[in-house]
Amino acid sequence: APDALVVMAAASLKPALDEIAATWPDPVALAYGGSGAIARQIAAGAPADVVLLAATDWMDWLVSQGAVEGAARSVAGNRLVMAGTPGGGPVCLSAAAVLARLGTGRLAMGDPMSVPAGRYGQQALETLGIWAALSEHLLMTDNVRAALAYVARGDVPLGLVYASDARGTGVEVAAEIPAPTHAPIVYPAALVRGARPGAADLLAHIAGSQAIFAAHGFAA
Amino acid sequence: MIDLPPEAWEALALSLRVSVVATVLSLPLALWVAHLLARRQFRGKGLVDAAIHLPLVLPPVVTGYALLLLFSRAGPLGAVLEPLGLSPAFRWTGAAIAAAIMAFPLMVRAIRLAIEAVDPKLEEAAATLGLSPARVWWRVTLPMALPGVLAGVTLGFAKAFGEFGATITFVASIPGETRTLPAAIYAFLQVPGGAPGLRGLVLIAVAVAVGAVLLSNWLAPRVAARVGGR
Amino acid sequence: MIDLPPEAWEALALSLRVSVVATVLSLPLALWVAHLLARRQFRGKGLVDAAIHLPLVLPPVVTGYALLLLFSRAGPLGAVLEPLGLSPAFRWTGAAIAAAIMAFPLMVRAIRLAIEAVDPKLEEAAATLGLSPARVWWRVTLPMALPGVLAGVTLGFAKAFGEFGATITFVASIPGETRTLPAAIYAFLQVPGGAPGLRGLVLIAVAVAVGAVLLSNWLAPRVAARVGGR
Amino acid sequence: MLEVSVQRRAGDFTLDVALEASSGVTAVFGPSGAGKTTLARCVAGLARPDAGRIVLNGRVLFDGTTDLAPHRRGIGYVFQEARLFPHLDVRGNLMFGAPRGEEAGPVAEMLGIADLMDRRPAGLSGGEAARVAIGRALLRQPELLILDEPLAALDARRRAAILPWLGRVREAGVPILYISHAIEEVARLADTLVLLRDGAVVRAGPLAEVLSDPVAAALMGPSQAGAVLEGVVTAVADGLAAVETPAGVLHVPGGEVGQRLRIRIRAEDIIVATARPEGVSALNVLPAVVEAVQPGQGPGVMLRLRAGEGALLARITRRSAERLSLAPGVAVWAIVKTSGVARADVGGG
Amino acid sequence: MLEVSVQRRAGDFTLDVALEASSGVTAVFGPSGAGKTTLARCVAGLARPDAGRIVLNGRVLFDGTTDLAPHRRGIGYVFQEARLFPHLDVRGNLMFGAPRGEEAGPVAEMLGIADLMDRRPAGLSGGEAARVAIGRALLRQPELLILDEPLAALDARRRAAILPWLGRVREAGVPILYISHAIEEVARLADTLVLLRDGAVVRAGPLAEVLSDPVAAALMGPSQAGAVLEGVVTAVADGLAAVETPAGVLHVPGGEVGQRLRIRIRAEDIIVATARPEGVSALNVLPAVVEAVQPGQGPGVMLRLRAGEGALLARITRRSAERLSLAPGVAVWAIVKTSGVARADVGGG
Ligand SMILES: Nc1ncnc2c1ncn2[C@@H]1O[C@H](COP(=O)(O)OP(=O)(O)OP(=O)(O)O)[C@@H](O)[C@H]1O
Ligand SMILES: Nc1ncnc2c1ncn2[C@@H]1O[C@H](COP(=O)(O)OP(=O)(O)OP(=O)(O)O)[C@@H](O)[C@H]1O
Ligand code: MOO
Ligand SMILES: [Mg+2]
Ligand SMILES: [Mg+2]
């Protein structure tokens, strides 16, 4: 529907946002993509009404560009987990234990340079003091879902992924990453400059759908 | 038929529209450029040739960003087109532009090789029969190069149909407007555990690809026969 | 020179290695397949042709995914290669495979058109001079098709150098091992405001692309001259 | 009227030629590699002379400033190879350059290719292809027709059948530049003969003059030298025409009273007798006087004979010349077989 | 020794030919479109007969079960078009199929292309290209050489220069299948003549027989009919050789004592006299008896003459025949000009 409101959102939000949009009375067009790509497109004048990103730095950038109206607000949160192949059992977050579990394999994670999940992951591993030991054994992916898929298929023994993604995808959580080891994972949302009437309501509706976010693992 | 969600059919229809428009509209330009490269000598020819090949060698994302910068509200083209309501940014026409640019080097290459293979002696003969260079091109060069043109069009269409990186970077992936089949496949791939329609979408993409190539292979000998065996 | 972070040079070196290996190693196969498609009739020819074109028409991500399934530890090829320590998954050899597969249709197309343009009458003449079909191919068909082969190699190299989607999906992005120049550019693009090295990386990619095309354009007339004008 | 004066270098070959071709057939004759094709290409606009001037019927086709594109020159060209369009059938090839309303039928009929109209060039024999190429150039209705050895691939009969038709083209006023190394064709058709060698004109002039020029004879090969006589048919009987020529009355097969004919008598085809021969089958016995005796290479000598107002060349062995004591001023009889005489129709000019 | 019997249909053209070619030159002669090239292609393995059998020197090249690839047939082929390799220079083309150790020099010298060795085919004239193609096939040292109208693009001198060399190839024992519609070439070279028309053999047999066959003459064109005599040179003087032939002694230019020559006397080149001619330049005057008088079309009649052990054909006008009262049994003199006699070397067989 051409008059549908357009929401551009980080790809990792897809399961939750699809469900939330279905609870909105009017049709909503959901365009998913990488946070960086979306941010640039918004800045270039993409006809979106609401934007949701997976990283605060890109949202800050959008704000600095004057591409959004008002302040950004966080609508959801997330946590990191160490996902392992089923039956692998839990792993202790020490260099020796992780390396033992990896064997000749690698630890899959988002590329810290380009993927927010990777950035949080690097912070956490550094805080845990095992980044240096693992740095030769990393497998960096262009989005966090790919890291998950490698684990699910057994190509790598471990992956550092979002808790929301690890649910019911054929992996088991080998370790929870303590939240204090990295900056809080938040999904900032904002109204795009020039958003159409109703966009603010939609954004409010999304922000208010915490039950659905929670059901998909996006702990606020 | 395969059981597919309605967005999948929407994406297929959009992809077909985008790739057909991209191929058909860029064909005349491709013919012209291929002709220039095959038969003319001019300063900067090498650079023109290289420029045409850029979209092929650069990561599609880079091409997409370049388009985005060009057509964005503040960009040199966007600033002109936007007020006229003609901006292709975030519209299916933008997807067609991205697809055309990505397909262009393939079309030009194939057509150029075909034109180079036309014996200039026959063009000479046509000139002595009173045909101007333009009519020689139309009545001798083009018909004889037709199998190569067909190959170029197939290749271009296939590339346009499969193009993804530049498109999604330039016009994003807005359902019904710019979410092409490959973009949909990409989105479906992103669903942890795999979305239910993924298999069907990939099958459709494969079917279109195979169909285009088979059609071109079926046409090629017929065109070649019309064009005359050696 | 441009001031670039060391990772950038690493990525450039890797990309060159990957694309050269991909092009050189797949060339013989491309020649063979192009010859089959140009000069032989066999059952299922259309399907072979279509299969070769699949990587071109499918979103690269799908191709990468298919490779991943094939070579993953549980995949049909991976299960065989992994115990031997030969698995290309997550290795630069895997990047070369992905690049080769993406470049293959372009190489085959160009070479095939060039072979089809060789006058079979000359091959006939060579046969009556006592040359077996293999030697006719080597001494007549191939030399005469050389400009087209060169075009195919350029195109294939360019594509292999720029390939990104299939590579990153198949072998991810391990610095020094599989993080090619396009993957690095992609990563740099994801930094808000643009990473400092981005411009340099893009310039390098453009330079390589332009360089390859200029080199091929410089070589082409020389090869054509060696091969003889009409 | 075609005026050509061109210089052109390619590799170590230099073409430097000046010639004029008035209406009628101008034959360019020369050995392989003499530059015949190069000259023709310059005239047609397919090769660019380094310098020179080409004028056709008053229109400047080429000079220092002008260089008309081939398609504007109004010149039909039959190439040494057929150069048919493979994507068109025979009809399509024939009609390719034909003006609207033109029909392929009559030309195809004449060239014996009417049955091939729907064939592709790939399905034609060598001679068939050559005929289609000729028809294509004719149907284009050129102001000048260049024929580059067009009959080489044809058998004698077909060649004989086409020659008169080319004669008709000439009569229609289309000047023809005819490139050939078959002197028989040249002798039948040409009004003007240009002898080319190593890129330069060796001799040029009216056919009869050049053919009876001993220098030219050396170039053409001695067996090709001979005289060309023109005359009018005064009587026809038993299928033989009596033709009054400057050299006397000659009998040739065919012809109509009043018709102008051209007769070529090769030097080889004349027997010289010192006594009037009796009881011989040859009908043409002309009284003549030896004008000159030129020894050639080998065992032959060339005699220049004056018969009436005309000149004849005769080539006989040195031994015969000595035996018969032939020297300038000796009166002889020139015996010419009727069938040794090649005739060609001459346009009404 | 080549035995061919093939059937082949293509479109509405059917080739159905059986012939044998022993060592020496077998000429295939026929009008354009007769199927000459098609036949040659079948022999060379470039076209597949629908049925038949081809045997070369005892090796089966083709039959129901065998179908040898072209490169295994050991047959050199000079195509109607030159088909040179554009990516190789002249030397590369010449040496393309040559066995190791072979040198291009002598052949290039003979063909007058020694100066072109570094040229590309694109820079050759039509005749130069044809010569390179011939040289290339010769250097390949074939068991059988097929020549498809190879001399069509050559001028008379060049053609005359190449013919003896082809004669030498024949003497070296390489059988030649010679496709031509130039009867002069055929007469000089051929041992066996096959007349083809509409895909079928009209006449085949030893050259002399076929050439003097009136049916064949009709096909070849009457001006080509004639007798072929073989003889031995018994004396040489003044550059003229006296050749003893079955029809009597003939004088021809050149030759060495003991050499075997073949002499062709075209029916057109004979003058018939009822009285012994005196004081004529013609050296060859043979006593003969009229055997038959065959009226032809037009104003001519064909005489079969018996001279000694040999047969001659003479074509004269009907008027002359009547005037001289020529009829079977009449004794006559056949006058043949020395230079009207075409000679060709004959292999030592
Ligand atoms: N591109 C070239 N470079 C060098 N020499 C050339 C080139 N093209 C032609 N020639 C030479 O120019 C000369 C004249 O060639 P041209 O084709 O005009 O001869 P021609 O008289 O038509 O001969 P033919 O009767 O064999 O066709 C030849 O010696 C040929 O080798
Ligand atoms: N592919 C084809 N389809 C139909 N007819 C064909 C095909 N190829 C050849 N022909 C016909 O077969 C006949 C014999 O052709 P061929 O080339 O053998 O003749 P040729 O005797 O060599 O003539 P030329 O002296 O003109 O070269 C011709 O009438 C030709 O038109
Ligand atoms: O949703 Mo992301 O941008 O793949 O971490
Ligand atoms: Mg020429
Ligand atoms: Mg032929």
Side-chain angles (χ1 to χ4, degrees), chain B residues 16-211:
Chain B
L16 287 176
R17 176 154 37 121
V18 162
S19 45
V20 167
V21 166
T23 318
V24 169
L25 290 192
S26 56
L27 179 58
L29 188 64
L31 284 169
W32 184 67
V33 172
H35 172 80
L36 284 190
L37 293 176
R39 287 286 151 88
R40 294 252 179 284
Q41 293 307 326
F42 53 90
R43 273 173 69 86
K45 176 172 170 175
L47 286 177
V48 170
D49 198 9
I52 289 166
H53 281 81
L54 272 186
L56 195 71
V57 66
L58 289 176
V61 190
V62 173
T63 307
Y65 268 121
L67 285 173
L68 189 61
L69 293 179
L70 213 58
F71 285 102
S72 86
R73 227 171 257 169
L77 284 178
V80 176
L81 293 173
E82 181 78 33
L84 305 173
L86 291 175
S87 173
F90 309 109
R91 307 223 38 224
W92 74 269
T93 46
I97 289 177
I101 285 180
M102 297 301 286
F104 202 65
L106 301 182
M107 295 178 68
V108 169
R109 265 283 169 185
I111 297 172
R112 174 185 178 171
L113 284 175
I115 289 177
E116 278 171 351
V118 174
D119 191 344
K121 285 182 177 173
L122 293 179
E123 298 173 338
E124 265 188 0
T128 67
L129 289 164
L131 272 67
S132 63
R135 292 183 63 218
V136 169
W137 196 85
W138 185 247
R139 291 189 56 194
V140 176
T141 318
L142 182 61
M144 292 200 59
L146 219 47
V149 173
L150 189 71
V153 168
T154 311
L155 217 59
F157 172 81
K159 179 70 201 170
F161 189 81
E163 158 50 29
F164 157 66
T167 308
I168 203 170
T169 311
F170 178 27
V171 293
S173 169
I174 303 168
E177 185 72 37
T178 61
R179 189 198 276 199
T180 58
L181 193 68
I185 290 178
Y186 179 76
F188 278 51
L189 266 176
Q190 297 304 309
V191 176
L198 179 59
R199 249 259 259 296
L201 282 182
V202 172
L203 281 181
I204 288 181
V206 170
V208 170
V210 172

Side-chain angles (χ1 to χ4, degrees), chain D residues 116 119 122-129 131 153-155, chain E residues 8 10-13 15 30-39 80 148-149 179 181 196:
Chain D
L116 309 175
R119 284 269 194 88
L124 298 178
S125 79
E128 288 162 350
R131 283 178 273 155
L154 298 182
D155 56 287
Chain E
R8 186 171 200 276
D12 45 0
F13 175 80
L15 181 77
S32 176
K36 306 182 293 295
T37 299
T38 308
L39 170 65
Q80 211 161 349
D148 193 351
E149 310 196 27
I179 292 172
H181 42 231
L196 214 61

Side-chain angles (χ1 to χ4, degrees), chain D residues 31-38 40-41 77 80-81 148-149 179 181, chain E residues 124-128 153:
Chain D
S32 176
K36 306 182 293 296
T37 298
T38 307
R41 289 177 62 81
Y77 197 128
Q80 213 162 349
E81 342 83 63
D148 194 351
E149 309 197 27
I179 293 173
H181 40 233
Chain E
L124 298 177
S125 79
E128 288 162 349

Side-chain angles (χ1 to χ4, degrees), chain E residues 164-184:
Chain E
W165 212 88
L166 291 179
R168 255 176 277 163
V169 176
R170 178 185 59 184
E171 276 170 53
V174 182
I176 296 178
L177 201 63
Y178 192 92
I179 292 172
S180 175
H181 42 231
I183 201 78
E184 303 80 23

Side-chain angles (χ1 to χ4, degrees), chain C residues 124 128 139 225-228, chain E residues 41 75 83 86-87 120 140:
Chain C
E124 264 188 0
T128 66
R139 290 189 55 195
R226 260 187 52 84
V227 165
Chain E
R41 289 177 61 82
I75 294 178
R83 297 201 190 181
H87 60 297
R120 285 308 174 91
R140 169 234 194 296

Side-chain angles (χ1 to χ4, degrees), chain E residues 248-266:
Chain E
V249 175
L250 290 171
H251 296 85
V252 301
E256 286 164 28
V257 173
Q259 195 185 10
R260 286 182 65 82
L261 292 182
R262 169 184 297 173
I263 294 165
R264 170 158 180 257
I265 305 173
R266 291 197 308 163

